[in-house]
Amino acid sequence: DGGITQSPKYLFRKEGQNVTLSCEQNLNHDAMYWYRQDPGQGLRLIYYSQIVNDFQKGDIAEGYSVSREKKESFPLTVTSAQKNPTAFYLCASSSLREGLNSPLHFGNGTRLTVT
Amino acid sequence: AQSVTQPDIHITVSEGASLELRCNYSYGATPYLFWYVQSPGQGLQLLLKYLSGDTLVQGIKGFEAEFKRSQSSFNLRKPSVHWSDAAEYFCAASGGYNKLIFGAGTRLAVHP
């Protein structure tokens, strides 16, 4: 079955350490996205990419970095510069060939806890 | 600024009762509108979407939503709620290019 795989499901890190969250999709989707979810705040866009080797900042990109070396993969690095990294992180993808507003397909998320 | 507002943080209904979740948007033009559902610890699943045309949109799991331009609203409805509908529901809007703006969500609890 096609889908989006995020790993790991739970991640624990010490403050000051960088950490990379994995996101892989086998849907052959062009676009991929990273969202951060905090209680009571909905989802906020961190970064998105519509094509390999290109990506754009979302609304809350500070303290995060991404890469898009392959169509299937869009890893997110939470750097030590991110002031409040503890959150639930969701990766999503969409097919631009279905139109500019084709629905997003989401992974099951990674819960990051930084202490 | 573009925004999506879900006025109700929590809603509790009895199983079998009808449900309406509210969503209002603020955009320069009519955006594309979506409703997603999220079970605890999971990703989001698309329930339905409004792109254009008929203002009453049917979705999965028996949900429907009505777009009302005059009220800038896109409320989600279900005539009879099942215990398995307990989840968090997100309204989202997009002006294009899949950059969705999400509301803060409404958590639905269902009493037996």
Side-chain angles (χ1 to χ4, degrees):
Chain A
D1 279 343
I4 299 178
T5 301
Q6 290 188 243
S7 60
K9 189 168 179 65
Y10 298 95
L11 192 53
F12 298 88
R13 280 294 183 270
K14 295 289 189 186
E15 197 172 314
Q17 294 178 334
N18 291 356
V19 59
T20 297
L21 282 60
S22 169
C23 178
E24 304 277 333
Q25 54 100 358
N26 61 4
L27 298 167
N28 198 32
H29 283 172
D30 307 291
M32 297 186 74
Y33 311 79
W34 275 105
Y35 285 90
R36 169 180 173 140
Q37 185 177 17
D38 296 282
Q41 294 194 47
L43 280 71
R44 292 180 290 167
L45 182 63
I46 304 172
Y47 269 98
Y48 65 103
S49 167
Q50 294 183 323
I51 194 170
V52 173
N53 292 322
D54 188 45
F55 46 83
Q56 286 76 42
K57 292 181 179 180
D59 301 317
I60 56 164
E62 185 175 349
Y64 299 98
S65 66
V66 293
S67 62
R68 186 89 186 274
E69 297 177 2
K70 299 185 299 182
K71 187 175 184 178
E72 303 78 21
S73 179
F74 191 42
L76 172 75
T77 296
V78 184
T79 75
S80 56
Q82 167 51 233
K83 302 240 185 304
N84 295 297
T86 295
F88 189 52
Y89 291 88
L90 286 162
C91 180
S93 70
S94 68
S95 170
L96 297 182
R97 273 167 282 185
E98 293 177 20
L100 293 175
N101 287 289
S102 64
L104 298 182
H105 296 254
F106 283 86
N108 285 331
T110 292
R111 186 166 298 281
L112 173 65
T113 302
V114 177
T115 56
Chain B
Q2 299 166 337
S3 65
V4 174
T5 302
Q6 294 179 246
D8 304 306
I9 298 174
H10 291 102
I11 284 186
T12 301
V13 299
S14 298
E15 191 168 16
S18 63
L19 172 70
E20 182 168 26
L21 303 182
R22 296 183 290 163
C23 173
N24 295 95
Y25 64 88
S26 175
Y27 255 77
T30 299
Y32 301 108
L33 296 162
F34 306 82
W35 275 99
Y36 284 85
V37 61
Q38 183 183 36
S39 298
Q42 301 293 312
L44 277 68
Q45 179 184 22
L46 179 69
L47 285 175
L48 47 78
K49 60 183 177 182
Y50 171 78
L51 302 183
S52 65
D54 194 345
T55 57
L56 185 62
V57 180
Q58 301 298 321
I60 63 172
K61 305 185 180 188
F63 285 93
E64 66 178 27
E66 186 172 12
F67 169 63
K68 292 186 177 180
R69 185 190 307 273
S70 61
Q71 298 177 19
S72 298
S73 69
F74 188 55
N75 294 350
L76 182 72
R77 301 195 294 246
K78 187 169 184 178
S80 177
V81 170
H82 188 262
W83 64 266
S84 61
D85 293 324
E88 190 155 21
Y89 292 80
F90 291 93
C91 182
S94 169
Y97 299 99
N98 299 86
K99 286 186 65 180
L100 293 186
I101 295 177
F102 285 85
T106 297
R107 186 169 298 278
L108 173 67
V110 180
H111 276 327

